[in-house]
Amino acid sequence: MTANLQAGEGWHGQLKLVYADRLNSTQLIYNHHQAPLKVQRPFYPEGEKVCHSVILHTAGGIVGGDLLSCDIHLQANAQAVMTTAAASKIYRSNGLIAKQTINIQVETGACLEWLPQETIVFDGGIYRQDLRVELADGANFVGWEITRFGRSARGEKFYQGEWRSHTEVWQNGIPLWIDRQWLPGSAAVFHSPHGLSGKPIVGSLVWLGSPVSLEIIATARSLFTQHSQLTTQHSQLTTHHSLTGVTRLENGFLCRYCGTSTTEVRNWLTAVWQMLRMNFFHRGICIPRVWQI
């Protein structure tokens, strides 16, 4: 399937947000949106220091020809947690590519926790996401991406289409992490050990801005064992075939997952995220309320 991008096709949605620290309270001081993107009114479940925001896609799903862009700026010392209201759905394409571009700037003393809910790429979907983060000295970023290829609950597999994910995190002109992934839809790639190995779900979490100890790396690895066991006790899911990895980076670390259970990967990455909050910010558990709906 050949991907094309034609001007004038689909939605051209935009979201521009600026967060600022005002007397130890993080406030959304600028909010510009263009349908189908918008952001809910900020709320503060853990006090005024940390602003929680939920991004909405009011059209319900993304189709070929859609162009979405998000620009997010955290001024000095601002603290924000951002997620999405629901899973993103990339529908089967008629040959046009659906594209989302996200640019994030985090200034000194600020931290963004970027935790969108999963993306479901339907068989035949053509999608590309570009995420670029610019960190100032003393800024931190934690973000994850969870992607399901095909509506596997219906037995659908990602045998047609194309998915690309390009992520770059920079600090003072130096790349901290650059990740480029490409998955062409085909039965061979879906089942190949060099592709998905028959596992429809991939996930990654990256923490950047502050170095981590070997103890944190070991803890992140051990949390998968704990939470995969928890998942197994309450369902019939088989977890022992999941593939995971934790890699120490020069100024952070990276977690990877490839498996069959959204619950499993979310449990693990959520536990790692909460561990980071405790270690670096002395914050307790605070799960976004939209995850519980």
Side-chain angles (χ1 to χ4, degrees), residues 154-203:
R154 300 186 179 187
E156 180 182 276
K157 296 179 173 58
F158 191 65
Y159 284 175
Q160 297 182 74
E162 181 181 273
W163 171 80
R164 292 180 184 268
S165 176
H166 293 178
T167 302
E168 299 186 5
V169 183
W170 293 74
Q171 189 171 52
N172 296 324
I174 299 173
L176 298 183
W177 186 53
I178 295 179
D179 186 51
R180 299 184 184 275
Q181 300 183 66
W182 173 53
L183 187 78
S186 74
V189 172
F190 189 90
H191 295 286
S192 169
H194 303 292
L196 291 177
S197 194
K199 301 172 178 62
I201 301 172
V202 297

Coordinates of all heavy atoms in Angstrom, one line a residue, residues 154-203:
R154 N -10.4 -8.8 18.1 CA -11.3 -9.4 17.1 C -10.5 -10.3 16.1 O -11.1 -10.8 15.1 CB -11.8 -8.2 16.2 CG -12.6 -7.2 17.0 CD -13.2 -6.2 16.0 NE -14.0 -5.2 16.7 CZ -14.8 -4.3 16.1 NH1 -14.8 -4.2 14.8 NH2 -15.5 -3.4 16.8
G155 N -9.3 -10.6 16.5 CA -8.5 -11.5 15.6 C -7.8 -10.8 14.5 O -7.2 -11.5 13.6
E156 N -7.9 -9.5 14.4 CA -7.3 -8.8 13.3 C -5.8 -8.6 13.5 O -5.3 -8.4 14.6 CB -8.0 -7.4 13.2 CG -7.4 -6.5 12.1 CD -8.0 -5.1 12.1 OE1 -9.1 -5.0 11.5 OE2 -7.5 -4.2 12.7
K157 N -5.1 -8.8 12.5 CA -3.6 -8.6 12.5 C -3.2 -7.5 11.5 O -3.9 -7.2 10.5 CB -2.9 -9.9 12.1 CG -3.2 -11.0 13.2 CD -2.5 -12.3 12.8 CE -2.6 -13.4 13.9 NZ -4.0 -13.7 14.2
F158 N -2.0 -6.9 11.8 CA -1.6 -5.8 11.0 C -0.8 -6.4 9.7 O 0.4 -6.4 9.7 CB -0.7 -4.9 11.8 CG -0.3 -3.6 11.2 CD1 -1.3 -2.6 10.9 CD2 1.0 -3.3 10.8 CE1 -1.0 -1.4 10.3 CE2 1.3 -2.0 10.2 CZ 0.3 -1.1 10.0
Y159 N -1.6 -6.7 8.7 CA -1.0 -7.3 7.5 C -0.9 -6.3 6.4 O -0.3 -6.6 5.3 CB -1.8 -8.5 7.1 CG -1.6 -9.8 7.9 CD1 -2.4 -10.9 7.7 CD2 -0.7 -9.9 8.9 CE1 -2.2 -12.1 8.4 CE2 -0.5 -11.0 9.7 CZ -1.3 -12.1 9.4 OH -1.1 -13.3 10.2
Q160 N -1.5 -5.2 6.5 CA -1.5 -4.1 5.5 C -1.3 -2.8 6.1 O -1.7 -2.6 7.3 CB -2.8 -4.1 4.6 CG -3.1 -5.4 3.9 CD -4.3 -5.2 3.0 OE1 -4.4 -4.5 2.0 NE2 -5.4 -5.8 3.5
G161 N -0.7 -1.9 5.4 CA -0.5 -0.5 6.0 C 0.9 -0.2 6.3 O 1.9 -0.9 5.9
E162 N 1.1 0.8 7.1 CA 2.5 1.2 7.5 C 2.4 2.1 8.8 O 1.5 2.9 8.9 CB 3.1 2.0 6.3 CG 4.5 2.5 6.6 CD 5.1 3.3 5.4 OE1 5.6 2.7 4.5 OE2 4.9 4.5 5.4
W163 N 3.4 1.9 9.6 CA 3.5 2.7 10.9 C 4.9 3.2 11.0 O 5.9 2.4 10.8 CB 3.1 1.8 12.1 CG 3.4 2.4 13.4 CD1 2.6 3.3 14.1 CD2 4.5 2.1 14.3 NE1 3.2 3.6 15.3 CE2 4.3 2.9 15.5 CE3 5.6 1.3 14.2 CZ2 5.2 2.9 16.5 CZ3 6.5 1.3 15.2 CH2 6.3 2.1 16.4
R164 N 5.1 4.4 11.3 CA 6.4 5.0 11.6 C 6.3 5.9 12.9 O 5.3 6.6 13.1 CB 6.9 5.9 10.4 CG 7.2 5.2 9.2 CD 7.7 6.1 8.1 NE 7.9 5.4 6.8 CZ 9.1 4.9 6.4 NH1 10.2 5.1 7.2 NH2 9.2 4.4 5.3
S165 N 7.3 5.8 13.7 CA 7.4 6.6 14.9 C 8.8 7.1 15.0 O 9.8 6.3 15.1 CB 7.1 5.7 16.1 OG 7.3 6.5 17.3
H166 N 9.0 8.4 15.0 CA 10.3 9.1 15.1 C 10.3 9.9 16.4 O 9.4 10.8 16.5 CB 10.6 10.0 13.9 CG 10.7 9.2 12.6 ND1 11.0 9.8 11.4 CD2 10.7 7.9 12.4 CE1 11.1 8.9 10.5 NE2 11.0 7.7 11.0
T167 N 11.2 9.6 17.3 CA 11.3 10.4 18.5 C 12.7 10.9 18.7 O 13.6 10.2 18.5 CB 10.9 9.5 19.8 OG1 9.6 9.0 19.6 CG2 11.0 10.3 21.1
E168 N 12.8 12.2 19.1 CA 14.1 12.8 19.3 C 14.0 13.6 20.6 O 13.1 14.4 20.8 CB 14.5 13.7 18.1 CG 14.7 12.9 16.8 CD 15.3 13.8 15.7 OE1 15.6 15.0 16.0 OE2 15.3 13.3 14.6
V169 N 15.0 13.5 21.5 CA 15.1 14.3 22.7 C 16.5 15.0 22.6 O 17.5 14.3 22.5 CB 14.9 13.5 23.9 CG1 15.0 14.4 25.2 CG2 13.6 12.7 23.9
W170 N 16.5 16.3 22.7 CA 17.8 17.1 22.6 C 17.9 17.9 23.8 O 17.0 18.3 24.5 CB 17.7 18.0 21.4 CG 17.7 17.3 20.1 CD1 16.7 16.6 19.5 CD2 18.8 17.2 19.1 NE1 17.1 16.0 18.3 CE2 18.4 16.4 18.0 CE3 20.1 17.6 19.1 CZ2 19.2 16.1 17.0 CZ3 20.9 17.4 18.0 CH2 20.4 16.6 17.0
Q171 N 19.2 18.2 24.1 CA 19.5 19.2 25.2 C 20.7 20.0 24.8 O 21.8 19.4 24.6 CB 19.8 18.4 26.5 CG 19.9 19.3 27.7 CD 20.0 18.4 29.0 OE1 20.8 17.5 29.1 NE2 19.1 18.8 30.0
N172 N 20.5 21.3 24.7 CA 21.6 22.2 24.3 C 22.3 21.8 23.0 O 23.5 21.8 22.8 CB 22.6 22.3 25.4 CG 22.1 23.0 26.6 OD1 21.2 23.9 26.6 ND2 22.5 22.5 27.8
G173 N 21.5 21.4 22.0 CA 22.0 21.0 20.7 C 22.6 19.6 20.7 O 23.1 19.2 19.6
I174 N 22.5 18.9 21.8 CA 23.1 17.5 21.8 C 22.0 16.5 21.9 O 21.1 16.6 22.7 CB 24.0 17.3 23.1 CG1 25.2 18.3 23.0 CG2 24.5 15.9 23.2 CD1 26.1 18.4 24.2
P175 N 22.0 15.5 21.0 CA 20.9 14.5 21.1 C 21.1 13.5 22.3 O 22.1 12.9 22.4 CB 21.1 13.7 19.8 CG 22.5 13.9 19.4 CD 22.9 15.2 19.9
L176 N 20.1 13.5 23.1 CA 20.1 12.5 24.3 C 19.6 11.2 23.8 O 20.0 10.1 24.3 CB 19.3 13.1 25.4 CG 19.7 14.4 26.1 CD1 18.8 14.7 27.3 CD2 21.2 14.3 26.5
W177 N 18.6 11.2 22.9 CA 18.0 9.9 22.5 C 17.3 10.2 21.1 O 16.5 11.1 21.0 CB 17.0 9.4 23.5 CG 16.5 8.0 23.2 CD1 17.1 6.9 22.9 CD2 15.1 7.7 23.1 NE1 16.3 5.8 22.7 CE2 15.0 6.3 22.8 CE3 13.9 8.4 23.3 CZ2 13.8 5.6 22.7 CZ3 12.7 7.7 23.2 CH2 12.6 6.4 22.8
I178 N 17.6 9.4 20.2 CA 16.9 9.4 18.9 C 16.5 8.0 18.5 O 17.3 7.0 18.5 CB 17.8 9.9 17.7 CG1 18.2 11.4 18.0 CG2 17.2 9.8 16.4 CD1 19.1 12.0 17.0
D179 N 15.2 7.9 18.3 CA 14.6 6.5 18.1 C 13.7 6.6 16.8 O 12.8 7.4 16.7 CB 13.7 6.2 19.3 CG 13.2 4.7 19.2 OD1 14.0 3.8 18.9 OD2 12.0 4.6 19.4
R180 N 14.0 5.8 15.8 CA 13.3 5.7 14.6 C 12.8 4.3 14.4 O 13.6 3.4 14.2 CB 14.1 6.2 13.4 CG 14.6 7.6 13.6 CD 15.4 8.1 12.3 NE 16.0 9.4 12.5 CZ 15.3 10.6 12.3 NH1 14.1 10.5 11.9 NH2 15.9 11.7 12.5
Q181 N 11.5 4.2 14.3 CA 10.9 2.8 14.1 C 10.0 2.8 12.9 O 9.3 3.8 12.6 CB 10.0 2.4 15.3 CG 10.8 2.4 16.7 CD 9.9 1.9 17.8 OE1 9.5 0.8 17.9 NE2 9.7 2.8 18.8
W182 N 10.0 1.7 12.2 CA 9.2 1.6 11.0 C 8.7 0.2 10.9 O 9.4 -0.8 11.1 CB 10.0 1.9 9.7 CG 9.3 1.6 8.4 CD1 8.1 2.0 8.0 CD2 9.8 0.8 7.3 NE1 7.8 1.5 6.8 CE2 8.8 0.8 6.3 CE3 11.0 0.0 7.1 CZ2 9.0 0.1 5.1 CZ3 11.1 -0.6 5.9 CH2 10.1 -0.6 5.0
L183 N 7.4 0.0 10.7 CA 6.8 -1.3 10.6 C 5.9 -1.3 9.4 O 4.8 -0.8 9.4 CB 6.0 -1.6 11.9 CG 5.5 -3.1 11.9 CD1 6.6 -4.1 12.3 CD2 4.3 -3.2 12.9
P184 N 6.3 -2.0 8.3 CA 5.4 -2.2 7.2 C 4.4 -3.3 7.5 O 4.8 -4.4 8.1 CB 6.3 -2.6 6.0 CG 7.5 -3.2 6.7 CD 7.6 -2.5 8.1
G185 N 3.1 -3.1 7.2 CA 2.2 -4.2 7.5 C 2.3 -5.4 6.5 O 2.2 -5.2 5.3
S186 N 2.6 -6.5 7.0 CA 2.6 -7.8 6.2 C 2.6 -8.9 7.2 O 3.0 -8.8 8.3 CB 3.9 -7.8 5.3 OG 5.0 -8.1 6.1
A187 N 2.2 -10.1 6.7 CA 2.2 -11.3 7.5 C 3.6 -11.7 7.9 O 3.9 -12.1 9.0 CB 1.5 -12.4 6.8
A188 N 4.5 -11.5 6.9 CA 5.9 -11.9 7.2 C 6.5 -11.1 8.3 O 7.2 -11.6 9.2 CB 6.8 -11.7 5.9
V189 N 6.3 -9.8 8.3 CA 6.9 -8.9 9.3 C 6.2 -9.1 10.7 O 6.8 -9.1 11.7 CB 6.8 -7.4 8.9 CG1 7.2 -6.5 10.1 CG2 7.7 -7.1 7.7
F190 N 4.9 -9.3 10.6 CA 4.1 -9.5 11.8 C 4.6 -10.7 12.6 O 4.7 -10.7 13.8 CB 2.6 -9.7 11.5 CG 1.7 -9.7 12.7 CD1 1.2 -8.5 13.2 CD2 1.4 -10.9 13.4 CE1 0.4 -8.5 14.3 CE2 0.6 -10.9 14.5 CZ 0.1 -9.7 15.0
H191 N 4.9 -11.8 11.9 CA 5.3 -13.1 12.5 C 6.8 -13.2 12.7 O 7.3 -14.1 13.4 CB 4.7 -14.2 11.8 CG 3.2 -14.3 11.9 ND1 2.5 -14.6 13.0 CD2 2.2 -14.0 11.0 CE1 1.2 -14.5 12.8 NE2 1.0 -14.2 11.6
S192 N 7.6 -12.4 12.0 CA 9.1 -12.6 12.0 C 9.6 -12.3 13.3 O 9.2 -11.3 14.0 CB 9.7 -11.7 10.9 OG 11.1 -11.7 11.1
P193 N 10.7 -13.0 13.8 CA 11.4 -12.7 15.0 C 12.1 -11.3 14.9 O 12.5 -10.7 15.9 CB 12.4 -13.8 15.2 CG 12.5 -14.4 13.9 CD 11.2 -14.3 13.2
H194 N 12.3 -10.9 13.7 CA 12.9 -9.5 13.4 C 11.9 -8.4 13.3 O 12.2 -7.3 13.1 CB 13.8 -9.6 12.2 CG 14.9 -10.6 12.2 ND1 15.9 -10.6 13.1 CD2 15.0 -11.8 11.5 CE1 16.7 -11.6 12.9 NE2 16.1 -12.4 12.0
G195 N 10.6 -8.8 13.4 CA 9.5 -7.9 13.4 C 8.8 -7.9 14.7 O 9.4 -7.6 15.8
L196 N 7.5 -8.3 14.7 CA 6.7 -8.3 15.9 C 6.7 -9.7 16.6 O 6.3 -9.8 17.7 CB 5.3 -8.0 15.7 CG 5.0 -6.5 15.3 CD1 3.5 -6.3 14.9 CD2 5.4 -5.5 16.4
S197 N 7.2 -10.7 15.9 CA 7.3 -12.1 16.4 C 5.9 -12.6 16.9 O 5.8 -13.3 17.9 CB 8.3 -12.1 17.6 OG 8.6 -13.5 17.9
G198 N 4.9 -12.1 16.1 CA 3.5 -12.5 16.5 C 2.9 -11.8 17.6 O 1.8 -12.1 18.0
K199 N 3.6 -10.8 18.2 CA 3.1 -10.1 19.4 C 2.6 -8.7 18.9 O 3.3 -7.9 18.4 CB 4.2 -10.0 20.4 CG 4.7 -11.3 20.9 CD 5.9 -11.1 21.8 CE 6.4 -12.5 22.3 NZ 6.9 -13.3 21.2
P200 N 1.3 -8.4 19.1 CA 0.7 -7.2 18.5 C 1.0 -5.9 19.3 O 0.6 -4.9 18.8 CB -0.8 -7.6 18.5 CG -1.0 -8.4 19.7 CD 0.3 -9.3 19.8
I201 N 1.6 -6.0 20.4 CA 1.7 -4.8 21.3 C 3.1 -4.4 21.6 O 3.9 -5.3 22.0 CB 0.9 -4.9 22.6 CG1 -0.6 -5.2 22.3 CG2 1.1 -3.7 23.5 CD1 -1.4 -5.6 23.6
V202 N 3.5 -3.2 21.3 CA 4.8 -2.7 21.7 C 4.7 -1.5 22.5 O 3.7 -0.7 22.4 CB 5.7 -2.4 20.4 CG1 5.9 -3.6 19.6 CG2 5.1 -1.3 19.6
G203 N 5.7 -1.3 23.4 CA 5.6 -0.1 24.3 C 7.0 0.3 24.7 O 8.0 -0.5 24.7

